[in-house]
Amino acid sequence: MKKINDIEKWSVTNNNVFGHCFHIHDVQFKIVSRSSGSIGVHEGGWKDNFFINRNETVTFVAKFADYS
């Protein structure tokens, strides 16, 4: 279990045969980088989900402002 107000940096790799959305309940993300290239303007700021393409790694900061 995460503590309230914890902030962590994670990297997630999608090894599936298709892209999909990534989401953790009650957690805000800020994308730092994508292995496929630059971060889109629409992906700036804090989000609660993002799309990860197949064979892609996304690195983000996760803010645990509530129990997840």
Side-chain angles (χ1 to χ4, degrees), residues 9-46:
K9 185 176 179 181
W10 291 13
S11 290
V12 176
T13 301
N14 179 6
N15 293 320
N16 291 316
V17 297
F18 52 86
H20 63 85
C21 286
F22 182 87
H23 174 78
I24 300 175
H25 294 284
D26 295 326
V27 176
Q28 295 288 308
F29 310 112
K30 194 170 203 175
I31 297 174
V32 175
S33 67
R34 285 183 172 272
S35 63
S36 62
S38 61
I39 301 166
V41 174
H42 64 284
E43 296 180 307
W46 293 98

